[in-house]
Amino acid sequence: MKKTILILSIFTISLFIFGCTTNLEQSMQDMINQYKGNEIVNTFYTAMETKNYDLLDPHYSEEFLEVSSKEETEQFYTSINNKLGNLIDYNITYVNFETMSTLGGTTKTTVLTISSSYEKGEATETLTIIEKNGIEKLHGWNINSKALILN
């Protein structure tokens, strides 16, 4: 009897964990799908593909441009392109949200993890998008790739 209860308990716990994991995976997939059509994401990767970085001008946050000027940022993009080659494909793999409310309003921060393929290697990129007063802006970008060091 004790063995039967133990087996049923393990089975029930396993089903619960599987159910929670399945729901989390579905929720993540829903969030990823939501950002596949995002204007900033699409414009960012169109700019990378076409090397027309001016497309990004209306999408930079003030804070982004305080860290690096437009000219420095474009030099960085060009350098990355020279090292990695042309962008082949990209896929959003993870989405993380954070919302902060203050007396000045609400700011929503979204960090997207993106797996990207270039001619000379693979990369993991993060795009940080902030939304203030219903307006989304590109707040940050990071790229990690072995090919940046090896090429």
Side-chain angles (χ1 to χ4, degrees):
M1 180 70 174
K2 288 183 180 182
K3 284 184 180 181
T4 305
I5 291 173
L6 178 63
I7 291 171
L8 286 173
S9 296
I10 292 172
F11 180 72
T12 303
I13 291 169
S14 298
L15 282 176
F16 176 76
I17 291 171
F18 176 76
C20 290
T21 303
T22 302
N23 287 338
L24 287 174
E25 288 173 3
Q26 184 59 44
S27 295
M28 179 57 62
Q29 191 58 51
D30 290 344
M31 288 188 290
I32 289 170
N33 289 338
Q34 174 186 344
Y35 275 88
K36 283 185 179 177
N38 180 275
E39 181 182 356
I40 291 175
V41 175
N42 292 339
T43 302
F44 184 86
Y45 284 102
T46 297
M48 295 300 118
E49 289 173 333
T50 62
K51 299 170 191 62
N52 182 4
Y53 308 121
D54 290 337
L55 293 173
L56 292 168
D57 289 353
H59 298 290
Y60 291 125
S61 70
E62 291 177 22
E63 297 87 354
F64 187 102
L65 294 174
E66 286 174 6
V67 175
S68 297
S69 70
K70 179 183 176 232
E71 293 76 23
E72 290 172 321
T73 301
E74 289 182 1
Q75 287 174 347
F76 188 69
Y77 295 149
T78 300
S79 177
I80 295 294
N81 187 266
N82 290 340
K83 284 278 208 168
L84 295 179
N86 291 324
L87 177 69
I88 297 170
D89 194 21
Y90 68 93
N91 290 299
I92 300 169
T93 57
Y94 188 77
V95 179
N96 187 34
F97 296 106
E98 180 180 301
T99 303
M100 185 172 72
S101 295
T102 63
L103 293 176
T106 300
T107 301
K108 176 181 171 185
T109 303
T110 305
V111 179
L112 305 171
T113 303
I114 298 162
S115 177
S116 50
S117 299
Y118 291 84
E119 290 175 321
K120 298 177 186 175
E122 303 297 313
T124 299
E125 301 180 54
T126 56
L127 285 178
T128 303
I129 299 169
I130 60 168
E131 181 183 326
K132 293 180 184 176
N133 302 319
I135 299 171
E136 290 185 328
K137 294 288 185 178
L138 180 61
H139 189 69
W141 174 62
N142 181 292
I143 184 167
N144 289 308
S145 175
K146 288 181 186 178
L148 287 172
I149 297 168
L150 300 175
N151 292 336

